Amino acid sequence: MTLRQTLHALPRDARDTLFLLVVIAWVIAPQVNVLPVWASLLAAGLMLWRGWLAFKGRPLPTRWVLAVPLVIAVAGTLYTHRTILGRDAGVTLIVMLLALKMLELRARRDALVVFFLGFFTMLSNFFFSQSLFTAAAMLVALLGLLTALVNAHMPVGRPPLSQALRTAGTMALLGAPIMAALFMLFPRMAPLWGMPSDTMSGRSGLSGVMKVGNIAELALDDTVAMRVRFDTPDGAAPPQSDLYFRGPVFGTFDGVEWHPVSPRPGDYSQARANTVANLRVQGQPVRYEVTLEPHQRPWLLLLDAAVDKPAVAGMETFMTQDLQWLTTRAVTDVVRYKAESYTQFAHGPSTPNAALRIYTELPTGFNPRTLALAQQMRNDPALNPNPAQDNTEALVNAALTRLRTGGYVYTLEPGVYGQHTADEFWFDRKEGFCEHISSAFVVLMRALDIPARIVTGYQGGDRNPVDKLWTVRQSDAHAWAEVWLSGRGWVRVDPTGAVSPGRTGAFQRLRAPQGAFATAMGTVISPGLAQNLRAVWEAVNNSWNQWVLNYTQSRQLDLLKSLGFESPSWQDLTMVLGILIVVAALGGMGWSLWERSQHDPWLRLLARARQRLARAGMVLPDTLPPRAMAERVQAQFGAPAAAVADWLLRLERVRYAPHPEAALGDLRREFRSIAWPKQ
């Protein structure tokens, strides 16, 4: 017997339970990567147990038996999350309760509880991801839950699941206009929570601190960091070598980690007023629009250097003294903003001051050979022919020349560095990715008593041929240096470009080794086709981000402006939404009345006759045909009711007439004029 025949032979309860288990598994599956491992395993075990009981027709476990996994679930949640409240703990508990409730599925009331928990778990998927893929998966889950719900309310028998699916699909389609209206007009609120975290260790991307030397292998993360639309007729971008999107700036070093410089009192208040000292720009600005993916941090990414603050709906933005743009809260949702930047700029003081001393500090006891190299370079007559003159630029160029000609390699697998990271890079390993190179370069600059710091962000991007947007990925994350030169201020120096010019010039990226699956797929799908499919998917995903995830309150108000509101507010949104709800309710009522009018008019007329006879004391069953009703009328009321009996006989003949409409209208008029019996 095949599996299909086996499933078809199962009782309806077993079949419906197995279908519901499949739907619940689909609902829970996207959360496996965010649930604790024990929770995923326990939920899978409980549902497999329930499926085995349904398949074998075994009785469900007692409540005392279920108390054991319940205690394990609560204890595990408390141990893992240290609480049973909050987003992560709440989702873990709701998944556990859903799996446990499947083992209590005895009556319709239990099924309704399962449906309620299933819908709530389905919504909880959006706590962690609002991507197009998640939305599509949850749409399938919605149809599955609605199908199971409709099937549970069907009468006894064995109705096919396809019938319930058609009803569920119709319900979803009828509810789609209401859903769209609520989405477009329901007043937007701020996110309920944000969960900042730093999980980029071992992967390309940005972080709040920069650790040097403790990552043996860097995995390129190809996920999208942001998309950029340049305000030019053809969407052309500046040269690749100018595409530096500024992020966190690190100015203090403890030998292992780089950290941002702590702000001095009054720095942020001054930056909020956009009065960063000594920012000098040249040329024409580059205007562009950024769609930034959520990264759980408060920084915005803008091209160097932006003078005017970007407009971000619902967020206050400000610039720090090191030209980094920040927001007042973490970016937990897709954010879109317009900005303009100058690729030709200078900033910082043009003469030495006390504030620059922090950018020359180094921890004691680290990198002695690099310090010795710096002393050797200072004493080199070729680099310092006239001690009375400033030789900073010559020292910087000498360090870059050493990187270009010294056999240094840009790699994703530099190995684990020890305590003296700069020493190992300059003299031993001579290989690393951009963090190693920039850190070693800045340490050497500081050892030369040249103010220097590390800037992280993204460099480059690639243009999507479908929607003409520039896509910047986590694999484009980059670290470069800034050194202070007298009379010029802070100047960008990218030491990685000296080691690997293609990284910032011709825009060549290192590629992580492909796995077995990717290699096998490469033999089936040509690289060009794969690239085109990826471009189409990313264009579709960007449209989802723009029109769904980034549909903010400002866009709602713009919609009202297009409808004729001069200065719309959230009260206007509520009013328009209320009007639409009233119109929808009236439309539904009209539909119901019309649908009632489409029911069999012959049956309605027969029901009215049955009601009229019931008033005379003759209660007749609903299944009695008109001929039998006429016989009972004559038997009980005699000759006075002959007209009624004749009317019933003619009503029966009309039922089988080829064109009954006209005759039925005559009978309807006679119904009001004939003398019906009275009690």
Side-chain angles (χ1 to χ4, degrees):
M1 183 179 292
T2 64
L3 178 61
R4 182 176 181 179
Q5 293 173 333
T6 302
L7 294 176
H8 185 73
L10 289 174
R12 179 183 173 182
D13 288 346
R15 183 204 67 174
D16 294 350
T17 300
L18 291 175
F19 174 74
L20 184 57
L21 281 169
V22 172
V23 174
I24 296 302
W26 181 271
V27 171
I28 296 176
Q31 297 190 6
V32 170
N33 62 331
V34 297
L35 288 173
V37 176
W38 65 264
S40 300
L41 294 177
L42 181 57
L46 292 173
M47 289 193 294
L48 288 174
W49 183 17
R50 182 63 180 93
W52 180 80
L53 293 176
F55 191 79
K56 295 294 185 180
R58 302 292 179 85
L60 297 180
T62 64
R63 294 187 177 181
W64 290 106
V65 174
L66 293 179
V68 175
L70 177 61
V71 171
I72 294 175
V74 175
T77 303
L78 285 172
Y79 177 79
T80 304
H81 303 290
R82 299 294 187 266
T83 181
I84 58 173
L85 303 177
R87 182 192 68 171
D88 294 346
V91 170
T92 301
L93 270 182
I94 202 71
V95 169
M96 290 295 96
L97 293 176
L98 179 58
L100 284 167
K101 192 60 184 178
M102 289 298 299
L103 287 165
E104 275 191 334
L105 195 59
R106 293 182 171 86
R108 178 174 293 184
R109 181 184 62 84
D110 298 321
L112 294 178
V113 174
V114 169
F115 294 139
F116 174 79
L117 292 174
F119 283 117
F120 190 87
T121 306
M122 181 187 72
L123 291 175
S124 68
N125 281 277
F126 294 102
F127 293 166
F128 304 97
S129 172
Q130 298 86 38
S131 68
L132 179 58
F133 178 80
T134 301
M138 291 306 101
L139 179 60
V140 175
L142 173 65
L143 289 175
L145 285 172
L146 286 177
T147 301
L149 181 60
V150 170
N151 183 67
H153 286 81
M154 282 186 168
V156 294
R158 194 181 176 85
L161 289 175
S162 59
Q163 181 181 350
L165 176 60
R166 286 194 297 270
T167 304
T170 303
M171 293 169 57
L173 288 176
L174 291 176
I178 300 175
M179 177 195 69
L182 290 173
F183 170 78
M184 296 179 68
L185 296 172
F186 195 87
R188 288 293 192 268
M189 295 178 291
L192 296 179
W193 51 60
M195 302 294 290
S197 60
D198 190 2
T199 58
M200 296 304 299
S201 179
R203 301 189 67 80
S204 54
L206 300 187
S207 175
V209 297
M210 196 181 90
K211 298 180 181 180
V212 182
N214 65 336
I215 298 175
E217 182 177 351
L218 183 68
L220 287 182
D221 184 356
D222 252 2
T223 58
V224 176
M226 59 183 175
R227 295 178 173 88
V228 185
R229 183 188 300 276
F230 290 96
D231 188 11
T232 57
D234 58 352
Q240 295 278 10
S241 56
D242 289 339
L243 294 181
Y244 283 85
F245 295 90
R246 194 180 191 89
V249 180
F250 303 122
T252 61
F253 184 50
D254 60 10
V256 178
E257 294 181 345
W258 287 89
H259 296 267
V261 175
S262 299
R264 298 180 298 277
D267 275 0
Y268 281 179
S269 60
Q270 182 182 11
R272 287 176 188 270
N274 203 18
T275 56
V276 176
N278 300 318
L279 175 58
R280 303 169 297 279
V281 297
Q282 298 177 0
Q284 294 297 319
V286 177
R287 296 179 176 85
Y288 54 97
E289 182 181 70
V290 177
T291 302
L292 181 64
E293 296 290 327
H295 52 71
Q296 316 301 332
R297 294 289 184 176
W299 53 65
L300 299 178
L301 283 304
L302 282 84
L303 279 176
D304 272 346
V307 178
D308 299 322
K309 64 168 55 180
V312 184
M315 292 184 182
E316 178 67 23
T317 60
F318 58 94
M319 184 194 288
T320 64
Q321 288 288 340
D322 49 23
L323 299 188
Q324 182 187 5
W325 283 95
L326 300 175
T327 67
T328 51
R329 61 178 176 85
V331 178
T332 56
D333 298 297
V334 175
V335 171
R336 187 169 65 171
Y337 51 90
K338 292 184 178 181
E340 61 178 37
S341 299
Y342 294 83
T343 57
Q344 301 179 31
F345 66 96
H347 70 103
S350 56
T351 57
N353 60 30
L356 293 174
R357 296 307 306 169
I358 193 173
Y359 296 106
T360 60
E361 296 175 355
L362 288 172
T364 58
F366 289 90
N367 303 302
R369 287 185 288 172
T370 303
L371 299 179
L373 173 62
Q375 184 64 39
Q376 178 184 348
M377 293 174 66
R378 276 196 299 264
N379 296 333
D380 187 347
L383 299 177
N384 191 16
N386 187 354
Q389 292 181 350
D390 182 12
N391 65 335
T392 302
E393 290 193 48
L395 294 172
V396 172
N397 291 330
L400 294 176
T401 300
R402 185 183 184 93
L403 289 172
R404 279 190 291 266
T405 61
Y408 295 92
V409 178
Y410 177 48
T411 177
L412 295 177
E413 301 179 3
V416 177
Y417 275 59
Q419 176 183 0
H420 306 292
T421 57
D423 282 359
E424 290 191 39
F425 176 79
W426 285 115
F427 300 102
D428 301 329
R429 298 177 183 269
K430 293 189 175 183
E431 62 181 13
F433 43 88
C434 57
E435 293 181 350
H436 297 89
I437 301 171
S438 298
S439 177
F441 179 82
V442 171
V443 169
L444 178 59
M445 291 297 102
R446 292 190 174 194
L448 290 167
D449 204 32
I450 299 173
R453 62 191 183 190
I454 294 177
V455 184
T456 59
Y458 297 93
Q459 201 283 320
D462 58 288
R463 190 184 190 190
N464 190 318
V466 178
D467 56 11
K468 312 304 181 184
L469 268 67
W470 284 79
T471 303
V472 180
R473 307 180 187 280
Q474 296 295 348
S475 56
D476 297 322
H478 192 49
W480 60 93
E482 285 184 339
V483 297
W484 184 86
L485 301 179
S486 180
R488 297 177 59 185
W490 291 104
V491 176
R492 180 198 303 143
V493 178
D494 194 341
T496 304
V499 176
S500 176
R503 173 59 180 84
T504 58
F507 195 59
Q508 300 169 359
R509 292 289 186 265
L510 293 178
R511 301 299 178 190
Q514 290 188 336
F517 179 76
T519 303
M521 289 300 295
T523 62
V524 178
I525 302 177
S526 66
L529 177 59
Q531 189 70 20
N532 291 336
L533 292 175
R534 178 181 183 178
V536 171
W537 164 251
E538 289 184 348
V540 172
N541 198 52
N542 178 61
S543 298
W544 169 264
N545 290 341
Q546 296 286 352
W547 297 105
V548 178
L549 299 187
N550 202 40
Y551 186 74
T552 59
Q553 188 180 66
S554 61
R555 285 198 165 189
Q556 287 182 311
L557 299 181
D558 290 340
L559 175 63
L560 291 188
K561 287 181 181 178
S562 65
L563 295 177
F565 290 83
E566 293 185 1
S567 55
S569 63
W570 69 268
Q571 291 92 340
D572 297 323
L573 281 171
T574 306
M575 180 187 68
V576 174
L577 182 60
I579 292 174
L580 286 179
I581 291 175
V582 171
V583 170
L586 293 175
M589 183 176 65
W591 174 273
S592 298
L593 293 174
W594 178 83
E595 191 177 41
R596 286 182 59 186
S597 69
Q598 300 305 304
H599 289 172
D600 194 336
W602 187 89
L603 289 176
R604 290 204 311 273
L605 191 55
L606 180 62
R608 291 175 62 188
R610 191 180 295 109
Q611 293 173 359
R612 187 64 65 89
L613 291 173
R615 296 177 190 173
M618 178 179 286
V619 179
L620 301 173
D622 294 343
T623 57
L624 203 65
R627 181 174 295 276
M629 292 172 60
E631 293 174 355
R632 294 195 183 187
V633 167
Q634 286 182 331
Q636 182 170 341
F637 298 106
V644 174
D646 179 67
W647 185 89
L648 288 170
L649 292 173
R650 285 188 288 125
L651 180 64
E652 185 176 75
R653 287 195 296 271
V654 167
R655 184 63 168 176
Y656 303 101
H659 302 288
E661 293 81 7
L664 193 62
D666 296 336
L667 289 173
R668 192 179 294 113
R669 286 188 291 273
E670 288 184 29
F671 177 86
R672 294 189 291 267
S673 61
I674 62 176
W676 290 88
K678 295 183 180 180
Q679 191 171 9

